Amino acid sequence: MSTDGLVPDSDSFERRCRVTLMFADLSDYTSLSENSDPEEIADIRRRLMQLGSEVVEKHQGVINQFVGDGIVALFGLPQAHEDDGRRAIGAAVELLERVRALEWGGTGSLGFRMRMHIGVHSGLVFAKKGDPLHGQYQLTGDAVNTASRLCSAAARDEVIVSDAALRGLEAYFETEAVEPLQLKGKREPVLAWRILASVAVTNRFDARSRLGLTPFVGRRTELRALEGSLSDCCNGRGGVLCVLGDAGVGKTRLLDEFGLRAQRDGVSVLRGSCESYGGVTPLRPFLQIVRELLPVPDDAPLEQRISRLERGLEAVDESLRIHLPAFLQLLSIRDWTDLATTEERQMAVISAVTELLLAAVHKQPRVLMFDDWQWSDGASIQVLGRLVRVARDMALLLVVGSRSLAADDQVLSQAPGLTVNPFTEAESMHAARSLVEGELGGAVLRGVHLRSGGNPLFLEELCSSFKLGIERLEDWEGGAIPTTVHALIRARAEALEPPLLELLGAASVIGNELPSWLLLKVAAGSDTPQRLERLIESGLLQTTETLTTLRFKHGLTREVVYDAVRIFERRELHKKVAETLESQFQNLGLADHYEVLAAHFARANEHRSASTYAELAGDKAAATSALDGARHHYAAALAQIDELPNDETSRRRWLAIVTKWSAACVYYPSREQLSVLARAARYAEEMHDYQALALVLHWSGWIHYALGAQEPALEHLTRALELSERGHRDRATAQLLVNIGQSYAASGEYEPALDFLNRGIDMKRRWQPAGVGDAYALGCLALVKGDRGEFAAAHVHAHEALAMVRDTGNAVEGSLYGLLGMIQLWQGSWQDALQTAARGRATGERVNGHYVLAMCEALASYARWRLDRSLLALDSLARAVQWLERRDINLYLSFCSGHLARAELEAGRVELATEHALRTLERAERGDALGKSMAHRVLAISLAGLGSEDQAREHCEKALRSAEHRASPREVALTELTLGELEQGWKRPDAARALLEAARARFQELHMAWHKAEAERLLGVR
């Protein structure tokens, strides 16, 4: 961070910082000028300048300049206050009121009322020493334009404030939402609020009370909960506990204290953390734990490191020696080339890590703690999923700290949670006494609590500011606290001596956690070690348990400091960091740093190097089936190539990476991916690379298929097939044949589905061994057979498919379990479907397959509903359907929503059942037809209940037509069963009996025992 221009009065003053700007203009100034004498206008401007200066200075802002009839005021320069946003908005409200109340007199237009319109916005600016033309500070940045546009958008006698300026200050003002503003020059609408008045609260406590927030909860309660879980763990009843709370609320310090207590009780504590900086690193938190359990010196010769690792594994458990190749790969000691597929390597590494941890637990009770889980990667989620499943039967306690958990988190959503709330007043006072030397009176301590709002981070920074002499706490008015922690941390950082602030800026460029040797090299200087020692003493940068690694006290501190580093200086520092890492690890362990190198080179605008390392990081993630990491890094590589000259070399490389990226997208598709593939197809056509074009079209078809959009899927796949056949690429042709068959199967068009599937499978069987594509093709063939009631053949195909991929760790295994579960639900084998869904869910957790998890949850929920009529199961089914709908993933969604409609109907929720049935029919119109007959039956029953017999019959007829189109005697029998039951209600026993007898006979022939029993129940057969 450059410190050359930090002195406000210096001619060289330059600063990059966040400020709050207030633009205020007189309303109807043109009309006033037209009807008034020039001297009167000059007097009005003089009085306005005087009034504006008085109000702005009262709120400790700066008048940057007067422009015509307008005022530009600045809050946050030259000195930041923790509540600059509140001061700016308060000044705007007061200025409006003062102008409104002032007796202007003397204007040429009788009855003219002087009024203003004001806009307020907070954002990043680059400030330089100003001049008479530009004002006290010459300001550059979008924040200046936005504040000006908000002023223009404000009506006469109105204050409009952006959401960025108001956020966190709502309790201090009466506000009214306005429609998002489409401001001139802004691509996106700006969220804004109308300020009606200031509220009579003088401190944060009153503000919180006004908002009706819940009381604070103390740390003793939280520690008791953690210690209770630890006690259970020591008695062999482990488990998982999620520690949740906002940034800065104290999760990390709570876990630190708990870890120390656990260690004092003789319990081993292992800890890993996730990191947002540098992108997604596979298994990062577990890699930290593995390195602690298996310490291997990085600088030792290769054979010595291998030997050390081998002895370390034996020390934990001799059986772990078989995992030596996996740990050599994980620890970047030696690449593992023995296994043929990335899926096998992925399974081996995950199994190795899991078994190491479980073996360690068998020796003594263990606590595994994870920080910042909100930044976890897919591979880590898979390992945690395995541990969660077995923890309750072992002396293993998993403590997961995270800002929040998604409602559909497939691993932790059902885990007990411990919410970390702000401090109580007593806790804040106790913490402040420990942070500030000397005696502080009760009033001051209460002020600290009110100003911090009980947030430990805010409280600590307030006390640190006092300790550094930035302000005297006693002099701070009211109980104001920061609108965000940004200004407060900035104030503390700027209190450092310039050499220390410059070193802190360099540290922020490296990352939240950083090796001390790297900082010393990047910020090389004769006095750098001494500066680093003093910086650590300041508390903003801390040493870790390893002593050779440093970290920022809070991740937010790093973000604020990094934000203030000048952009060109920042780029140079990023480049220096990357080049230092390259030099240090060029011949030893460079793969460990691919992700960080990609990030640093990208921020240095070194796009070629950034793209290279991002691609390598993607390859590394794909090798362990960490598909979310692979998607992230390949996308980063593509973005960096886009910054290079758009020549043929760049386009060919971009195209090659797109094919890798596409493979990582299949199990988590989105419509945004299709625009990238459309561009790839255009490149391939322009370069006449028809092999690449066929591959791009193939992946486009896959994404459309996975999204449930079968018409465009077939269009892309058919064109890819033509290109493949023209190029005589038989293997690709075979795969495309089965892909086309799969799309026809998903849309219920079974005749062409069987034709393409059988042709593709026959071609594929010419090559051995069978691959993943063969297995999924057989699974889709099984689904067609199952819908048609050919259950024996369906089960043969499904189990043959599963045998090809079982225990490989490939995501397709979960998909196959999903298809088998659908078949079992059709047959009425509820218990079997429940078990199959559990197997599919386990696979989905291993590979972080969100779609597989949602589908298996839907299957299991409907099976549970059938078995015990549990409303919890019904709600779980609804959540699974909602998850798929929110993500616009429609593959077999009509199957799920049709079953949800049926279950809702049976639960007596007729309106919901009708809604889901109608949505199922809408999906059927778009090609997702598997739930169509069921939806018509649901509507028939609900309409019959309303006395609409004709409409009920019409829906039964439509259900039969859909069944006949798919040649599904199973659906015919179910519709006969439904119509037979309705005929009973309509008092037509003969017609009812005939239909029920026909349904029973079909069920008997199709081996649908549960449904046969239902028909017999309605017939009165015992």
Side-chain angles (χ1 to χ4, degrees):
M1 179 186 292
S2 174
T3 57
D4 294 342
L6 290 179
V7 182
D9 295 331
S10 167
D11 290 338
S12 63
F13 174 83
E14 292 181 343
R15 187 177 294 173
R16 173 189 173 91
C17 57
R18 293 185 180 273
V19 298
T20 302
L21 296 131
M22 182 190 80
F23 276 65
D25 281 346
L26 271 178
S27 300
D28 304 318
Y29 180 70
T30 302
S31 175
L32 178 64
S33 298
E34 184 180 353
N35 293 283
S36 302
D37 187 87
E39 285 191 60
E40 292 178 323
I41 297 300
D43 184 62
I44 289 172
R45 290 189 60 203
R46 178 188 60 78
R47 295 172 67 190
L48 181 62
M49 291 166 65
Q50 181 180 348
L51 178 60
S53 298
E54 182 182 325
V55 170
V56 169
E57 289 172 12
K58 173 186 172 183
H59 290 269
Q60 294 187 289
V62 171
I63 295 290
N64 195 54
Q65 65 184 134
F66 295 99
V67 182
D69 62 321
I71 299 171
V72 180
L74 194 56
F75 296 80
L77 270 177
Q79 181 181 0
H81 299 91
E82 83 282 6
D83 53 357
D84 281 320
R86 182 185 176 196
R87 294 169 188 269
I89 300 172
V93 171
E94 181 175 345
L95 182 59
L96 208 67
E97 292 172 347
R98 295 276 296 272
V99 169
R100 191 186 299 145
L102 195 63
E103 278 292 335
W104 291 91
T107 59
S109 178
L110 294 176
F112 184 89
R113 300 296 182 193
M114 204 71 67
R115 296 291 185 266
M116 299 198 79
H117 53 101
I118 303 175
V120 180
H121 178 62
S122 295
L124 180 67
V125 300
F126 179 62
K128 298 175 64 175
K129 185 70 175 179
D131 54 40
L133 176 63
H134 297 100
Q136 185 169 345
Y137 298 101
Q138 184 176 338
L139 303 173
T140 307
D142 181 63
V144 182
N145 297 327
T146 301
S148 175
R149 302 300 184 203
L150 286 169
C151 179
S152 299
R156 177 182 170 86
D157 202 33
E158 184 175 71
V159 176
I160 295 294
V161 177
S162 70
D163 187 69
L166 183 65
R167 193 177 305 131
L169 298 170
E170 297 87 347
Y172 293 100
F173 304 98
E174 290 183 11
T175 62
E176 183 178 275
V178 300
E179 289 295 321
L181 301 173
Q182 192 64 61
L183 302 180
K184 183 179 179 181
K186 304 283 288 185
R187 283 197 302 269
E188 299 294 330
V190 174
L191 297 178
W193 301 80
R194 184 178 294 111
I195 305 297
L196 305 178
S198 294
V199 174
V201 293
T202 58
N203 56 61
R204 183 68 176 178
F205 180 80
D206 290 343
R208 291 171 67 86
S209 300
R210 175 174 175 262
L211 292 177
L213 299 181
T214 56
F216 300 145
V217 177
R219 295 293 181 265
R220 291 179 182 175
T221 302
E222 293 142 335
L223 280 169
R224 277 199 298 271
L226 285 162
E227 288 171 343
S229 296
L230 179 62
S231 176
D232 289 341
C233 170
C234 292
N235 291 320
R237 301 187 305 275
V240 58
L241 184 64
C242 296
V243 178
L244 307 174
D246 293 335
V249 82
K251 301 183 296 298
T252 299
R253 276 177 275 175
L254 173 64
L255 295 184
D256 281 337
E257 177 64 24
F258 170 64
L260 289 172
R261 294 188 181 200
Q263 288 172 331
R264 284 199 296 267
D265 291 339
V267 178
S268 174
V269 178
L270 298 171
R271 190 165 185 175
S273 63
C274 304
E275 168 75 272
S276 64
Y277 192 80
V280 182
T281 302
L283 291 172
R284 175 186 167 87
F286 291 98
L287 187 57
Q288 295 166 354
I289 292 173
V290 169
R291 290 189 189 281
E292 185 174 345
L293 286 172
L294 304 171
V296 177
D298 290 336
D299 54 354
L302 177 62
E303 292 306 319
Q304 186 176 331
R305 284 185 291 148
I306 294 173
S307 175
R308 181 76 173 267
L309 178 60
E310 198 169 9
R311 291 198 304 274
L313 289 170
E314 289 174 350
V316 178
D317 192 312
E318 288 189 358
S319 66
L320 293 173
R321 289 190 73 255
I322 63 171
H323 295 301
L324 179 62
F327 284 110
L328 291 172
Q329 171 85 33
L330 177 66
L331 297 172
S332 300
I333 295 174
R334 186 172 65 193
D335 287 337
W336 190 6
T337 58
D338 295 345
L339 295 182
T341 66
T342 58
E343 290 81 8
E344 289 174 320
R345 285 196 294 273
Q346 179 260 344
M347 279 295 296
V349 170
I350 286 178
S351 296
V353 172
T354 306
E355 291 187 29
L356 171 66
L357 296 176
L358 295 180
V361 171
H362 279 302
K363 289 197 167 186
Q364 60 173 312
R366 296 268 184 178
V367 175
L368 299 188
M369 295 198 299
F370 304 96
D371 281 345
D372 290 324
W373 192 254
Q374 69 272 6
W375 290 315
S376 58
D377 64 285
S380 297
I381 292 169
Q382 295 170 42
V383 175
L384 183 66
R386 289 187 173 198
L387 296 175
V388 166
R389 287 198 296 275
V390 300
R392 67 188 61 184
D393 298 320
M394 307 182 69
L396 172 61
L397 176 61
L398 302 166
V399 182
V400 182
S402 183
R403 292 184 182 177
S404 63
L405 292 177
D408 54 1
D409 188 297
Q410 303 293 347
V411 173
L412 297 172
S413 60
Q414 302 302 313
L418 175 65
T419 300
V420 181
N421 291 306
F423 283 157
T424 63
E425 180 175 308
E427 288 169 331
S428 290
M429 293 171 73
H430 177 76
R433 285 193 180 100
S434 68
L435 289 167
V436 180
E437 295 179 1
E439 280 295 318
L440 292 176
V444 173
L445 289 170
R446 280 190 290 275
V448 170
H449 172 66
L450 296 175
R451 294 179 181 106
S452 69
N455 182 293
L457 171 60
F458 287 15
L459 183 146
E460 188 172 354
E461 296 299 338
L462 281 168
C463 292
S464 296
S465 297
F466 171 72
K467 193 161 53 176
L468 290 167
I470 294 173
E471 295 265 13
R472 292 198 310 125
L473 290 177
E474 296 92 331
D475 293 342
W476 286 359
E477 65 178 70
I481 68 166
T483 57
T484 71
V485 73
H486 192 288
L488 196 134
I489 293 177
R490 176 187 154 205
R492 182 179 174 191
E494 290 180 3
L496 293 171
E497 297 173 26
L500 300 189
L501 183 57
E502 185 174 9
L503 185 60
L504 189 65
S508 75
V509 170
I510 298 173
N512 191 49
E513 192 169 292
L514 57 149
S516 55
W517 69 263
L518 181 58
L519 179 59
L520 292 171
K521 283 198 173 185
V522 168
S526 59
D527 65 340
T528 301
Q530 292 76 23
R531 284 191 291 153
L532 179 56
E533 187 175 337
R534 291 167 60 198
L535 187 57
I536 292 170
E537 288 174 359
S538 78
L540 286 172
L541 205 61
Q542 301 176 329
T543 56
T544 66
E545 297 80 2
T546 64
L547 300 180
T548 59
T549 303
L550 305 171
R551 68 174 169 220
F552 279 82
K553 181 184 293 186
H554 307 289
L556 294 174
T557 302
R558 189 205 71 83
E559 294 171 21
V560 171
V561 174
Y562 180 83
D563 196 43
V565 179
R566 298 275 297 276
I567 189 68
F568 297 108
E569 179 185 354
R570 185 190 300 175
R571 288 173 185 164
E572 285 302 313
L573 282 168
H574 277 298
K575 183 178 180 181
K576 193 170 183 180
V577 170
E579 291 175 344
T580 302
L581 287 170
E582 271 189 322
S583 174
Q584 182 76 13
F585 297 104
Q586 188 64 53
N587 300 314
L588 181 68
L590 190 63
D592 283 348
H593 304 280
Y594 287 159
E595 301 86 359
V596 173
L597 284 165
H600 281 299
F601 275 124
R603 288 168 172 80
N605 281 2
E606 296 289 330
H607 305 300
R608 199 172 303 280
S609 295
S611 67
T612 298
Y613 282 114
E615 183 180 5
L616 288 169
D619 294 342
K620 177 180 165 185
T624 57
S625 286
L627 298 183
D628 51 352
R631 284 193 303 272
H632 170 85
H633 293 301
Y634 287 140
L638 295 174
Q640 290 302 306
I641 293 173
D642 281 340
E643 299 297 326
L644 297 171
N646 188 23
D647 53 25
E648 184 172 338
T649 300
S650 293
R651 289 197 296 273
R652 285 195 180 279
R653 183 154 176 255
W654 190 92
L655 194 55
I657 295 174
V658 161
T659 59
K660 297 182 184 181
W661 169 80
S662 303
C665 292
V666 169
Y667 293 100
Y668 200 70
S670 71
R671 299 205 177 273
E672 291 76 13
Q673 295 160 1
L674 296 171
S675 61
V676 178
L677 287 166
R679 176 182 166 191
R682 187 172 70 252
Y683 279 0
E685 286 187 296
E686 289 172 355
M687 292 184 289
H688 305 290
D689 188 341
Y690 296 109
Q691 184 173 350
L693 178 59
L695 190 56
V696 169
L697 291 169
H698 180 198
W699 287 122
S700 299
W702 255 115
I703 299 297
H704 278 296
Y705 166 77
L707 289 169
Q710 304 311 327
E711 186 175 342
L714 288 166
E715 179 183 336
H716 285 85
L717 293 169
T718 301
R719 189 174 171 211
L721 178 63
E722 292 170 357
L723 292 170
S724 182
E725 289 177 333
R726 191 187 309 164
H728 304 290
R729 290 183 289 274
D730 291 346
R731 289 179 182 270
T733 297
Q735 183 59 51
L736 285 161
L737 286 171
V738 297
N739 286 139
I740 292 171
Q742 288 157 194
S743 273
Y744 277 123
S747 57
E749 298 293 334
Y750 289 158
E751 292 306 319
L754 290 171
D755 176 49
F756 279 98
L757 283 170
N758 286 322
R759 286 167 56 198
I761 290 170
D762 287 345
M763 283 189 71
K764 279 174 163 287
R765 282 177 170 162
R766 297 175 192 171
W767 302 289
Q768 294 294 332
V772 169
D774 309 59
Y776 191 67
L778 281 172
C780 292
L781 187 60
L783 190 75
V784 174
K785 298 288 187 181
D787 193 12
R788 289 186 158 184
E790 300 173 31
F791 290 113
H795 285 293
V796 169
H797 290 315
H799 289 289
E800 182 185 354
L802 281 166
M804 293 179 180
V805 296
R806 185 172 283 117
D807 299 326
T808 64
N810 194 287
V812 78
E813 183 180 4
S815 299
L816 290 171
Y817 279 123
L819 296 174
L820 176 58
M822 292 169 67
I823 294 165
Q824 289 165 334
L825 287 190
W826 277 334
Q827 194 170 9
S829 303
W830 316 126
Q831 194 64 49
D832 290 344
L834 198 60
Q835 293 171 1
T836 296
R839 295 189 187 102
R841 182 181 176 88
T843 304
E845 288 175 352
R846 284 202 306 271
V847 301
N848 202 25
H850 302 281
Y851 171 75
V852 169
L853 289 166
M855 282 295 295
C856 289
E857 185 61 31
L859 298 171
S861 299
Y862 188 79
R864 286 197 301 271
W865 168 255
R866 278 284 171 227
L867 289 168
D868 56 25
R869 285 295 197 269
S870 165
L871 288 178
L872 291 176
L874 181 53
D875 291 340
S876 179
L877 174 56
R879 284 195 301 272
V881 170
Q882 289 166 4
W883 187 92
L884 292 165
E885 289 175 334
R886 283 198 305 270
R887 284 153 184 79
D888 199 19
I889 300 176
N890 297 299
L891 182 62
Y892 299 125
L893 180 54
S894 75
F895 174 93
C896 298
S897 61
H899 281 77
L900 175 59
R902 179 73 194 197
E904 296 279 19
L905 183 69
E906 292 171 356
R909 302 173 178 177
V910 179
E911 289 186 8
L912 282 174
T914 301
E915 177 186 336
H916 288 299
L918 291 172
R919 283 157 74 176
T920 300
L921 293 180
E922 288 174 6
R923 293 186 182 105
E925 289 300 312
R926 297 195 296 269
D928 179 17
L930 269 62
K932 185 175 182 179
S933 293
M934 179 173 274
H936 279 304
R937 290 192 294 270
V938 168
L939 292 173
I941 295 169
S942 62
L943 287 165
L946 296 173
S948 302
E949 180 179 340
D950 290 344
Q951 288 180 288
R953 287 187 183 281
E954 182 180 346
H955 278 289
C956 284
E957 290 169 4
K958 289 179 178 179
L960 285 170
R961 286 200 294 274
S962 175
E964 289 164 358
H965 179 76
R966 284 151 50 203
S968 175
R970 180 190 62 79
E971 291 280 24
V972 171
L974 288 168
T975 305
E976 289 173 338
L977 181 69
T978 298
L979 191 52
E981 188 172 5
L982 293 178
E983 292 285 10
Q984 285 183 336
W986 292 326
K987 310 300 183 186
R988 298 189 182 92
D990 293 341
R993 176 163 290 278
L995 286 163
L996 293 172
E997 289 283 7
R1000 180 173 68 164
R1002 288 186 197 273
F1003 291 141
Q1004 171 85 24
E1005 182 180 351
L1006 296 171
H1007 303 286
M1008 296 173 66
W1010 186 90
H1011 296 89
K1012 178 186 172 221
E1014 280 294 289
E1016 290 174 344
R1017 180 182 63 80
L1018 292 170
L1019 285 164
V1021 176
R1022 295 186 179 181

